Amino acid sequence: MDTITSTTMYKTSFHDHPLFPSPRFVMDYCEGCITEGTIYGGYYCNDPNCTAWFFHKKCAEAPLQINHPSHPQHLLLLTKQLGDGVCELCGETILAPFYSCSTCEFKVDLTCGMKPPPPSAIEHPLCHDHPLVLLKKRKEESSCEVCMDGFWGYSYICHECNLYFHLDCVNLSKEVNHPCHSNHPIKLFASINLMGDAEKICFSCEKQSEKMLYHCPTCNFSICLVCTRNPPPLVIDHARTHVHPLTLLSRTMSFTCDVCGEDGKGGPYVCLQCAFLTHGECIDLPRIISINRHEHRISFTPHLGVGYSKCGVCRKSLNQYRGAYSCSVCPKYATHCKCALRSDLWDRVDLEGIPNHDAEYIAPFKVVGDDLIIHFSHEKHPLKFYKKNKILYDKWLQCEACMYPLVFESSYGCKECRFFLHDKCANLPTKKKTAFSRKLHSLVVTNEVVTACAECSVLFDGFNYTFQGDWRIDVHCGSLCEPFIHDGHLHRLYFYQRWGSSCVACEDIIRYGRYMMCCDACGFDLCLYCASLPTKMWHKKDDHPITLHCGVKLSEKSCCEICERELDQCKWFYTCFDCGVTFHTRCVLGDFSRLKPEKLIFYNRKRFEVIEEGGQLNSLIYESMNA
C-alpha cells in the first residue's frame, strides 16, 4: 500500500530557503527539473519573497555531487546558477539547477544527472518495431511518433521508417499494466482515434489529452502520459484532511468534492466508511493564507456554516456544508477554495504558524502637534491640517501624491513651501497588496525619472506603489479596491481582466490582460483611468466648480468649452450646473494631468519640461539629455 505522510523540513543543496514536505497534488511545474505536470507529495518553499514553489521529492533531494557514467573522470557538482548551453545527454537548453564539471565544460541538467545516459542505439524499443539510433541533432521541424509533440533536444531515429522519437517516449510501451487500473492492461492511443463515448479526460489530473493517452476500451478508463509516468499514490493518510486514510478510486466519475464543494470528473480519493470524496489537489490545502482581494488573512474551514451568501472573489453562491476560506475579522466574508488559491490572488505562502501582521500599521506620518504632522514624503517641514480646503487663496493647488487639485477636500499643507496632500493621500498605507499583484507593495515618492502607470498607462509624477522598484502603479490605481462604489453606477464594481472590452466612460478599447472595474449585474465596464476621475474640479474656463457627468444625456447637443468640439454624450464629461457649460474630461485634465507643471522630468531617457496651457497640462517640451 502506497502511503504519503508528512515528514520534517528539508534543506536542499540548490535552493536558498528551507523546503517543507506536503502530500498535496499540485498542477504546476517543478522548480528543479522544470517539468510541467502533476506533482504528488513533493516539497514546497514557504518563503514570501521566493519565486519558486513546488519541487518533486527526488529533485529536492538531489545530491550535491554525483559520479555520472557519462563523465567518469570527474565528479559533477550541482549548481543553482543560471545555466547556459545545452545538456550533453538530451540536447535541451539547460535551466538551473544543473550538474557540471569544474574541470571540463561538461554539463547535464538535473533530470539527466539523476538517471543513466541514453544508449546510443536501442535494438528492441518498446515504442517501435525497428531499431532506433540516438540522433544528437535537433529536429525542430519534426514531431515525435508517440506523443506527437515537437522536439527541443536530441531524438531517436528509425532509419528504416525515417521516424523520430523523444528520448523519454522510446520507453513507452504500446501496452502497460498500471497500478491505478489493475483489472486490464491499458493501451496507447492517439486521442483523435478514440471515437464515440470513449473517455479522453485523465482520471487523475482531470485534463483532456489532445494527443496520446493510455486507455482501457473495456472499462473506458484513460490516463495521460504524464500521470502514467508518475502515477498518483493509491492511499494517502493525512489526518488534517480526513480522519481516515483516503483510497484512490481508480475510475473516472462525476462527483462533488467534500473539501472544496466543486464538481469533479476524474478519480477521487474516498473514505468508504464516511462516504467522503475529495479531489487529489484538495488534500492538505493551506490553512491560513492572504490574498490580494482582501485586507485580512483568511483561514480554511472544512464546513463553512451559515451566514455566508456569495464568494468574495467570484460572487457566486457558497455552500455552507463544504469547505471554504473565511475571514475572522469580517463576519460575512468567505471565498471558494479554488478562488482563494488562484495563482493571480494567492502568494503561495501558508501563513500557519507565522505571526499575524495584518493588524500592524506603519503610519505614513508622525503627529508633532495640534493639527501638525511630519509626513515621510516631506520630513523637512511639518504639514498643517486644513479642514475642507480652507486654503482659499489658491484653488489650483495640486496634491503631491495623486497630482489632482485639492478642490474641496480636507488637506495638509506646508507653510514653508508649496507642498500639499489630500487628507486621504496623507493617510495612504506605506505597505499594501494591490489587486494587480500577489506581492506586498511599498508606497514611494516618484523621483524625476517619470514612468507610466503599469495598469492605466498614464504618466505620473506623484506617489506610487512598487514592488522592489519594479512594476510601478500610481496611487489612483493602487488605491482602488473592491467592492468599488462609483456615483456613476447603481451597483458595486469588481476587478476583472478584460480583453477587447470598451470603457463605458471613454469608449477606449482595453488591451489584453488589463483590469477594469466591472458590474456583475449588467454590462458596465469602467477603465481604471475613468474610475479614478475626480467628481468635482475647478477649471480656469469657469468661475464655478464643475462636476463629472456620468452617462446621462443632456436635453440638447453641447460643445466642449475648451476645444469647441461637439460632445459625444455617450461618454462622460464635466459640466457646470451654474453656467451650463460642458467639457471633455481629457480637455479638463489635459494629457499629462498627473505631472507637476514647470518641472523637468526624465522619461524614456529624454528630458522634458512640463508646461501648462489653457488651464490644463497638455504639453511637454523636449530637451536633449546632453543639453
Side-chain angles (χ1 to χ4, degrees):
M1 180 178 73
D2 296 329
T3 302
I4 287 182
T5 56
S6 295
T7 56
T8 56
M9 182 179 66
Y10 184 79
K11 186 69 174 71
T12 182
S13 54
F14 60 83
H15 191 64
D16 293 330
H17 311 121
L19 299 179
F20 299 86
S22 172
R24 285 194 67 194
F25 285 31
V26 178
M27 297 300 299
D28 212 300
Y29 68 91
C30 171
E31 297 283 351
C33 63
I34 321 297
T35 301
E36 188 175 3
T38 308
I39 302 174
Y40 310 110
Y43 286 89
Y44 70 96
C45 178
N46 205 46
D47 190 280
N49 296 316
C50 188
T51 56
W53 189 32
F54 246 85
F55 300 80
H56 290 117
K57 186 177 187 295
K58 64 178 181 180
C59 293
E61 297 176 357
L64 182 60
Q65 60 183 23
I66 59 172
N67 191 345
H68 201 274
S70 60
H71 192 74
Q73 58 269 41
H74 304 115
L75 290 174
L76 301 182
L77 302 179
L78 187 62
T79 176
K80 61 183 178 182
Q81 296 176 352
L82 183 63
D84 58 355
V86 297
C87 173
E88 297 283 350
L89 300 182
C90 68
E92 294 194 17
T93 302
I94 288 182
L95 301 172
F98 62 97
Y99 285 101
S100 64
C101 176
S102 58
T103 305
C104 313
E105 293 295 324
F106 188 87
K107 300 176 183 178
V108 294
D109 59 35
L110 183 65
T111 302
C112 291
M114 293 189 295
K115 65 182 181 182
S120 58
I122 303 177
E123 189 67 25
H124 300 290
L126 295 175
C127 66
H128 195 59
D129 296 330
H130 307 131
L132 301 179
V133 177
L134 181 63
L135 181 66
K136 289 194 172 184
K137 181 181 179 182
R138 298 194 178 198
K139 298 295 294 182
E140 297 178 356
E141 71 279 4
S142 302
S143 59
C144 173
E145 283 300 305
V146 175
C147 69
M148 306 301 175
D149 274 342
F151 289 95
W152 293 271
Y154 301 155
S155 61
Y156 280 98
I157 182 173
C158 172
H159 288 297
E160 185 173 343
C161 304
N162 196 29
L163 298 177
Y164 299 89
F165 303 84
H166 286 127
L167 272 59
D168 289 334
C169 289
V170 295
N171 296 316
L172 289 177
S173 176
K174 294 180 179 179
E175 183 176 284
V176 298
N177 293 307
H178 199 275
C180 292
H181 189 72
S182 57
N183 296 341
H184 312 102
I186 51 177
K187 300 178 180 180
L188 191 63
F189 283 88
S191 180
I192 195 172
N193 292 334
L194 293 178
M195 308 301 290
D197 296 331
E199 185 62 71
K200 297 182 181 180
I201 295 177
C202 173
F203 96 102
S204 179
C205 66
E206 299 188 23
K207 286 188 174 182
Q208 181 167 331
S209 177
E210 297 179 355
K211 295 181 179 177
M212 304 296 293
L213 73 161
Y214 279 99
H215 179 75
C216 174
T218 304
C219 304
N220 198 20
F221 172 91
S222 296
I223 184 171
C224 69
L225 298 184
V226 174
C227 294
T228 303
R229 298 189 188 104
N230 184 27
L234 299 181
V235 176
I236 294 180
D237 189 0
H238 190 259
R240 290 207 311 176
T241 301
H242 190 67
V243 293
H244 305 125
L246 298 172
T247 304
L248 179 64
L249 186 61
S250 297
R251 60 168 294 179
T252 300
M253 59 177 289
S254 298
F255 66 97
T256 300
C257 176
D258 285 312
V259 176
C260 71
E262 300 281 342
D263 291 335
K265 183 174 173 55
Y269 279 86
V270 303
C271 172
L272 296 179
Q273 181 178 343
C274 305
F276 179 89
L277 298 90
T278 179
H279 296 107
E281 61 266 29
C282 291
I283 295 173
D284 191 32
L285 292 181
R287 277 346 198 207
I288 303 174
I289 65 173
S290 175
I291 61 174
N292 62 8
R293 298 297 178 85
H294 192 67
E295 59 181 329
H296 308 123
R297 292 180 171 196
I298 52 178
S299 304
F300 174 75
T301 175
H303 300 286
L304 182 60
V306 297
Y308 302 91
S309 57
K310 293 187 177 181
C311 171
V313 174
C314 70
R315 267 79 59 192
K316 294 180 181 179
S317 298
L318 291 163
N319 189 329
Q320 63 172 309
Y321 303 107
R322 307 296 183 187
Y325 284 91
S326 61
C327 177
S328 60
V329 179
C330 307
K332 294 186 178 181
Y333 187 87
T335 74
H336 296 116
C337 296
K338 291 190 175 181
C339 290
L341 299 178
R342 273 171 35 183
S343 60
D344 60 326
L345 304 188
W346 176 43
D347 60 4
R348 293 179 167 180
V349 176
D350 189 343
L351 297 173
E352 186 175 26
I354 299 177
N356 187 357
H357 299 296
D358 285 352
E360 290 187 4
Y361 173 71
I362 302 175
F365 57 78
K366 295 179 181 178
V367 178
V368 294
D370 292 339
D371 292 337
L372 288 177
I373 64 170
I374 296 290
H375 197 270
F376 84 92
S377 64
H378 192 75
E379 296 181 333
K380 57 184 178 179
H381 304 129
L383 303 180
K384 180 175 175 56
F385 180 69
Y386 296 92
K387 188 175 183 180
K388 294 295 182 181
N389 192 16
K390 297 299 182 182
I391 315 171
L392 299 179
Y393 59 88
D394 190 347
K395 62 186 180 183
W396 310 115
L397 293 174
Q398 281 180 287
C399 170
E400 295 287 338
C402 68
M403 287 293 138
Y404 278 173
L406 298 181
V407 197
F408 313 100
E409 300 178 43
S410 298
S411 59
Y412 286 91
C414 177
K415 292 184 177 181
E416 303 294 331
C417 50
R418 292 172 63 85
F419 186 95
F420 296 92
L421 293 173
H422 289 120
D423 181 19
K424 63 181 180 181
C425 293
N427 282 280
L428 287 170
T430 56
K431 300 280 186 179
K432 71 168 297 184
K433 283 188 177 180
T434 69
F436 320 110
S437 172
R438 303 174 302 182
K439 300 297 183 181
L440 192 67
H441 281 53
S442 301
L443 181 67
V444 298
V445 179
T446 304
N447 56 27
E448 63 181 5
V449 180
V450 170
T451 186
C453 173
E455 288 302 323
C456 68
S457 301
V458 176
L459 287 175
F460 67 92
D461 188 29
F463 296 179
N464 66 89
Y465 282 102
T466 181
F467 174 68
Q468 297 181 346
D470 295 324
W471 197 254
R472 295 182 180 271
I473 302 168
D474 67 26
V475 293
H476 296 281
C477 293
S479 299
L480 293 173
C481 59
E482 59 180 21
F484 180 69
I485 299 174
H486 196 283
D487 292 341
H489 193 66
L490 293 174
H491 308 127
R492 295 182 173 189
L493 306 179
Y494 298 89
F495 286 104
Y496 284 99
Q497 285 183 298
R498 296 298 198 218
W499 183 16
S501 296
S502 61
C503 171
V504 297
C506 64
E507 296 188 345
D508 285 352
I509 304 297
I510 303 303
R511 291 187 297 173
Y512 173 75
R514 290 296 175 88
Y515 283 89
M516 301 184 77
M517 305 304 302
C518 306
C519 178
D520 290 330
C522 51
F524 184 92
D525 297 339
L526 189 64
C527 74
L528 301 188
Y529 175 81
C530 292
S532 57
L533 287 173
T535 55
K536 282 192 175 182
M537 290 279 291
W538 288 101
H539 195 272
K540 293 182 178 179
K541 287 282 186 178
D542 198 281
D543 294 330
H544 310 110
I546 56 177
T547 304
L548 185 64
H549 204 77
C550 305
V552 180
K553 294 185 178 181
L554 301 176
S555 57
E556 56 186 26
K557 292 183 179 180
S558 183
C559 294
C560 174
E561 191 72 11
I562 298 172
C563 70
E564 299 182 353
R565 295 176 181 172
E566 184 176 333
L567 284 177
D568 181 352
Q569 294 194 30
C570 292
K571 301 180 181 181
W572 290 5
F573 55 90
Y574 283 98
T575 185
C576 174
F577 290 119
D578 294 289
C579 305
V581 295
T582 53
F583 306 87
H584 292 119
T585 56
R586 293 281 182 173
C587 289
V588 169
L589 294 169
D591 296 328
F592 310 109
S593 60
R594 297 175 186 176
L595 300 178
K596 188 76 172 177
E598 302 177 1
K599 180 179 178 180
L600 288 176
I601 64 171
F602 291 90
Y603 178 64
N604 282 348
R605 298 183 58 81
K606 296 180 177 64
R607 185 169 64 182
F608 297 86
E609 181 181 0
V610 185
I611 66 171
E612 189 174 10
E613 288 184 354
Q616 71 272 2
L617 297 175
N618 57 11
S619 296
L620 291 178
I621 296 180
Y622 163 68
E623 295 182 47
S624 169
M625 285 282 285
N626 300 320

